[in-house]
Amino acid sequence: MSTHPLYTVPVAEGTWTVPASGAARFNWEYDDGRDRLLALYQKGKDKQWDAVKRIDWSLEVDPYDPLGLPDEAMAIHGTRYWDRFGSKERADLRRHYASWQFSQFLHGEQGAMVCAARIVESVPDLDAKFYSATQTMDEARHAELYSRFLHEKIGMLYPINDNLQALLGDTLRDSRWDMPYLGMQVLIEGLALAAFGLLRDTTSKPLPKQLLAYVMQDEARHVAFGRMALRDYYAGLSSAELAEREEFVIEGCYLMRDRIRGVEVLTNFGIPLQDAEEISEQSEYLQFFRKLLFSRIVPCVKDIGLWGPRLQQAYVDMGVLELGDSNLDLLMQQDEEIAEQLDAQRFAAEEAARVAEVEEAIAEGATTS
């Protein structure tokens, strides 16, 4: 079945072609490598999993309440538009918001897959190429599972947000080999992790919780990879080169904070664009969410050595500078533990079901004998 009929607005068929410049780099040193990255590569191999088998796709999902979020999570809650909506319109709105969120996750994961493949091609160090190869497979798996969730459980997709597409295009068009790391691993992945985490921790529905928790377990490794590689490289750059990258980070952060808000969902419900933008700007839930978006980005940016006065002032203006002191390692450890806990709970439930089935069979056999 084609995806195109499921889009809320028509999407051009064919491919989005991004002209990319830069060099493919080969390295003939096969024995030398950084122990930290090689250990992460080993972990990447050990932690591979199958989205068909690890996720319980038999779990039912109500497409009109796929996440079980409170009314306050709807941007128009408390406005005159919310008051005008009946139960059907509010249910439709929940479906559209979930579709928009998971569609952006899907498009972002395809972008991450392409960027990871680009890193394999362009990064000069073989240990980084090794790890990026495992990440490429991770991102393919993430795109696979989000696509299946949207097609089978929600039945609706949104096109890629224009500003997410612009940031992705800027990342891929840059010829410098570190930019896919910076644009994808730090900015886009950092934003995605924050969004995944908020939904993982607030949804009351088991299937989306599984999807988000297992994806975040992989993403914890990806962010660690970006931090290691960029921290080493940026330590040797000039102040002018660092300033160029800080400017890219500033522009990307403003773009994500101000433009990726789901306004297109509200306009699909007939709400004028200006009203939709004002509602999204004033929503307490979205204000909290926008600040949370930077919980993974700011400490990572600081850790890799991009912390000049202009960048710090931008974060002051955004009200997120204090997030630079967050313990990123602890956040990543928690992401790993939550996924492992879900696995343990699921395996315990399956084992209990098997034991009950055996006991029932024994009891039936005793009765008939």
Side-chain angles (χ1 to χ4, degrees), residues 126-145:
L126 199 63
D127 51 10
K129 291 181 183 292
F130 283 171
Y131 181 77
S132 294
T134 68
Q135 181 177 344
T136 305
M137 183 61 209
D138 289 345
E139 307 297 6
R141 178 169 58 250
H142 301 168
E144 171 198 353
L145 65 87

Side-chain angles (χ1 to χ4, degrees), residues 42-111:
Q42 183 62 47
K43 189 174 184 180
K45 291 188 294 180
D46 293 340
K47 294 289 186 177
Q48 291 294 318
W49 51 278
D50 188 340
V52 174
K53 298 176 180 178
R54 191 181 188 189
I55 292 168
D56 184 1
W57 292 103
S58 67
L59 291 168
E60 294 293 331
V61 174
D62 178 358
Y64 295 98
D65 189 21
L67 298 173
L69 299 181
D71 289 346
E72 289 77 11
M74 303 297 106
I76 65 168
H77 180 263
T79 70
R80 65 183 186 279
Y81 293 107
W82 179 263
D83 294 338
R84 291 176 191 169
F85 281 9
S87 57
K88 181 181 184 304
E89 289 83 4
R90 292 178 181 181
D92 285 340
L93 184 67
R94 289 179 179 277
R95 184 187 186 200
H96 276 256
Y97 263 125
S99 172
W100 181 84
Q101 288 173 316
F102 279 85
S103 293
Q104 304 319 308
F105 296 166
L106 169 61
H107 303 316
E109 295 294 353
Q110 183 180 177

Side-chain angles (χ1 to χ4, degrees), residues 48 76 78 110 122 131 204 210 250 253 272 274 315 334-335:
Q48 291 294 318
I76 65 168
Q110 183 180 177
S122 63
Y131 181 77
S204 60
Q210 282 186 25
I250 292 169
C253 285
Q274 183 176 348
Y315 284 150
Q334 291 170 345
D335 293 338

